Amino acid sequence: MDRPFAFGQTIEEILQAMKAIIVKHEKDTIDLLWENIPDVSPGPGEVLVDVYATAVNRADLLQARGLYPAPPGESPILGLEVSGQIRSTGPGVEAWVPGDRICSLALGGGYAEQVVLPQGLLIPLPGHWSYTSGAAIPEAWLTAYSNLFLEGSLAAGETVLIHAGASGVGTAAIQLACELGARVTVTAGSSEKLERCRELGASIAINYKQNDFAAAINSFTEKQGVDLILDCVGGSYLEQNLSILKPFGRLISIGLLGGTRGSLDMVALLMKSLILKGTRLRARSRESKVKITKEFRDRIWPLMVAGKIYPIIDRVFPITSANLAHQYVKDNRNIGKVILEVRTDTAG
Ligand SMILES: NC(=O)c1ccc[n+]([C@@H]2O[C@H](COP(=O)([O-])OP(=O)(O)OC[C@H]3O[C@@H](n4cnc5c(N)ncnc54)[C@H](OP(=O)(O)O)[C@@H]3O)[C@@H](O)[C@H]2O)c1
């Protein structure tokens, strides 16, 4: 994206500018620059938030590479989740006032000093919570919640396999599934990651780099298999995933880290009455995101406020080091979330 206001910027425009991450492509390199862009303001049912922290998501990495453009009508600025303080409210907002501390999914635009958010997406941040913790919640936890429970219909007593168990989504999903009373199995790529998954409640943790995960699941479950798989690996795992699902099992695909193409055994699908479903939080309508947020606030948020389940944070980078933060995630180094601090949290 070209830098806005490169020439001919008026004093008024400079005064109205805020900073945001702008993606610059030069030859084969991508640079994330903290630069001035025009201010944003809230419309009806929206609030303007001073962003304290945002977080890195795989979608941001793809979008920065030009492979995952923002949906039409949404901010082209990176950033799908934020925490911060409400600065002002648009017409029709009554439940929120300036000064309220919140975290929220963002419809893009989170890598910025300010962002406009629909009021229905806001989650109140308790006074004792840091903004850093708040920014670690929306994308990972709403993804885990919606896919385990709403799409995957996970029930107490069932067994779930969570791939990339030490990821942001994985560390949330392990805790949610355990809290429900499900048996949790995971895959991850290092002993440190597997250990963290066990600490969070996984009863079986498999190093997929050293073992055939499907054989390991068969052995641990005495060939019973699992009821649900939360999969972000995709094509390369398709056949093995289907082979270890129980009758009426569900495979929920949320990512394609291992490639887009796989081999589908229709016999397995038919004979075991399996469900194979793909979902994207970002592609959901505003109404759908608001509905999921409300359910999450009603069912899960009290457990988080009570400290029974909690976001896992690997590292905090200043927003001006967004390049380093993206590289860190791209290199698969994180356990849990990688946060970008936009403002210093003087209270925390
Ligand atoms: N559909 C949706 O709505 C939605 C929303 C949010 C996130 N997601 C997806 O969910 C996944 C997790 O997101 P996140 O932000 O939590 O990720 P993350 O924290 O960046 O962690 C991803 C982890 O996946 C593992 N991994 C990477 N490449 C792999 C491969 N080829 N095979 C197996 N494992 C691999 C790595 O851990 P190891 O060291 O263990 O290999 C990596 O650290 C991503 O695919 C993301 O795109 C989907």
Side-chain angles (χ1 to χ4, degrees), residues 57-58 139 143 164 167-170 188-189 193 208-209 232-233 237 254-258 279-282 329 332 334 336:
N57 284 288
R58 293 270 162 173
E139 183 75 15
T143 298
S167 64
V169 174
K193 288 187 174 184
Y208 71 90
K209 291 181 179 165
C232 60
V233 180
Y237 275 11
I254 61 165
L256 300 168
L257 292 167
T279 78
R280 283 193 304 137
L281 190 54
R282 189 175 198 181
V329 170
N332 301 329
N334 56 301

Side-chain angles (χ1 to χ4, degrees), residues 1-7 20-26 33 35-38 76-77:
M1 184 187 299
D2 287 328
R3 179 180 178 160
F5 300 146
F7 299 104
I21 288 289
I22 299 298
V23 183
K24 276 255 171 70
H25 291 262
E26 215 146 308
L33 302 169
E35 297 200 341
N36 283 340
I37 65 159
I77 303 293

Side-chain angles (χ1 to χ4, degrees), residues 2 5 15 28 49 52 76 97 113-114 117 127 148-149 159 169 219-220 233 266 278 294 327:
D2 287 328
F5 300 146
L15 288 175
D28 290 338
V49 168
Y52 275 71
V97 294
E113 284 182 313
Q114 295 183 332
L117 302 169
L148 289 178
F149 303 137
T159 303
V169 174
S219 147
F220 284 124
V233 180
M266 292 294 289
K294 183 176 179 329
Q327 191 60 47

Side-chain angles (χ1 to χ4, degrees), residues 51-62:
V51 177
Y52 275 71
T54 180
V56 180
N57 284 288
R58 293 270 162 173
D60 302 324
L61 271 60
L62 288 174

Side-chain angles (χ1 to χ4, degrees), residues 10-342:
T10 65
I11 297 285
E12 248 175 18
E13 284 168 341
I14 292 168
L15 288 175
Q16 284 174 1
M18 64 169 181
K19 286 202 179 291
I21 288 289
I22 299 298
V23 183
K24 276 255 171 70
H25 291 262
E26 215 146 308
K27 292 189 182 148
D28 290 338
T29 61
I30 296 166
D31 211 358
L32 305 179
L33 302 169
W34 189 233
E35 297 200 341
N36 283 340
I37 65 159
D39 257 350
V40 286
S41 56
E46 295 177 335
V47 302
L48 178 67
V49 168
D50 282 336
V51 177
Y52 275 71
T54 180
V56 180
N57 284 288
R58 293 270 162 173
D60 302 324
L61 271 60
L62 288 174
Q63 187 176 335
R65 290 171 60 199
L67 300 176
Y68 195 43
E74 293 185 0
S75 170
I77 303 293
L78 302 181
L80 297 174
E81 58 192 331
V82 295
S83 62
Q85 199 173 55
I86 296 180
R87 173 177 280 264
S88 64
T89 58
V93 176
E94 283 165 11
W96 303 93
V97 294
D100 283 349
R101 305 168 82 246
I102 59 95
C103 65
S104 175
L105 282 180
L107 310 172
Y111 285 22
E113 284 182 313
Q114 295 183 332
V115 67
V116 167
L117 302 169
Q119 60 177 338
L121 295 183
L122 306 180
I123 300 173
L125 206 57
H128 62 285
W129 275 48
S130 67
Y131 286 114
T132 304
S133 303
I137 293 167
E139 183 75 15
W141 284 79
L142 290 170
T143 298
Y145 172 76
S146 58
N147 286 293
L148 289 178
F149 303 137
L150 309 182
E151 305 293 349
S153 307
L154 183 65
E158 286 193 324
T159 303
V160 59
L161 170 61
I162 298 164
H163 288 305
S167 64
V169 174
T171 52
I174 293 170
Q175 295 181 72
L176 285 173
C178 287
E179 192 58 37
L180 177 80
R183 183 187 191 205
V184 176
T185 68
V186 299
T187 62
S190 73
S191 49
E192 192 193 355
K193 288 187 174 184
L194 295 173
E195 188 49 38
R196 194 71 184 102
C197 293
R198 285 192 201 95
E199 285 166 8
L200 292 173
S203 49
I204 296 165
I206 302 158
N207 187 330
Y208 71 90
K209 291 181 179 165
Q210 295 172 351
N211 303 286
D212 176 331
F213 78 83
I217 288 287
N218 272 330
S219 147
F220 284 124
T221 62
E222 292 170 346
K223 296 203 172 136
Q224 293 296 302
V226 300
D227 300 280
L228 175 67
I229 301 177
L230 184 61
D231 177 50
C232 60
V233 180
S236 60
Y237 275 11
L238 181 58
E239 210 165 3
Q240 285 162 293
N241 276 338
L242 294 184
S243 76
I244 52 167
L245 276 173
K246 289 181 184 177
F248 303 101
R250 292 87 66 195
L251 170 59
I252 307 293
S253 166
I254 61 165
L256 300 168
L257 292 167
T260 56
R261 293 194 173 270
S263 164
L264 174 63
D265 180 357
M266 292 294 289
V267 174
L269 200 70
L270 193 67
M271 297 309 282
K272 292 199 282 184
S273 304
L274 303 180
I275 291 175
L276 169 53
K277 202 187 259 188
T279 78
R280 283 193 304 137
L281 190 54
R282 189 175 198 181
R284 289 180 186 270
S285 64
R286 264 190 199 208
E287 293 70 28
S288 169
K289 286 176 185 160
V290 166
K291 191 163 171 276
I292 293 171
T293 303
K294 183 176 179 329
E295 274 196 35
F296 180 80
R297 276 184 63 173
D298 292 345
R299 281 184 67 185
I300 307 298
W301 194 239
L303 299 172
M304 298 198 87
V305 172
K308 286 192 83 176
I309 50 179
Y310 44 87
I312 304 300
I313 295 171
D314 184 294
R315 268 192 180 216
V316 181
F317 290 84
I319 187 79
T320 46
S321 298
N323 282 309
L324 290 178
H326 273 215
Q327 191 60 47
Y328 188 80
V329 170
K330 188 169 173 235
D331 292 342
N332 301 329
R333 292 174 66 188
N334 56 301
I335 294 179
K337 295 288 291 185
V338 171
I339 305 298
L340 295 168
E341 190 180 60
V342 176

